[in-house]
Amino acid sequence: MSNIIESATIDDIALYLQREEGLDARCAREEAKKVISGFRDMMDKGLIKGWYFDEQSHLELLPSDSALKIIANQK
């Protein structure tokens, strides 16, 4: 799973937002663009390697190795 990068597209996230938040298609697509922009910002900062939908259809982030080290040191 460590090679997942951007596996959930804007369209995937928009459909998820329509279903889970009850947004209309236009609003869901605009919100999905914001979500992806935030994810890309986190990637640029080295916090995540990607994002994906898990088996339960939850949108998940794949933390970077450096983020995992920070989390481990916090425990």
Side-chain angles (χ1 to χ4, degrees):
M1 175 147 7
S2 63
N3 61 354
I4 293 174
I5 297 174
E6 300 182 31
S7 67
T9 66
I10 289 174
D11 291 334
D12 296 333
I13 294 171
L15 287 173
Y16 174 81
L17 291 170
Q18 282 181 280
R19 185 183 71 232
E20 295 298 317
E21 302 294 328
L23 299 177
D24 65 50
R26 186 187 61 76
C27 288
R29 185 159 178 82
E30 289 304 312
E31 289 301 313
K33 288 178 184 178
K34 292 176 189 176
V35 168
I36 297 257
S37 176
F39 289 168
R40 288 189 177 133
D41 185 50
M42 287 188 269
M43 284 182 79
D44 291 344
K45 293 177 180 173
L47 299 173
I48 65 171
K49 293 192 274 187
W51 55 90
Y52 62 98
F53 282 103
D54 68 11
E55 299 82 30
Q56 290 82 35
S57 298
H58 298 124
L59 189 54
E60 297 288 337
L61 302 177
L62 186 62
S64 66
D65 294 336
S66 60
L68 288 173
K69 287 178 187 174
I70 293 168
I71 292 167
N73 288 335
Q74 297 290 323
K75 292 182 179 182

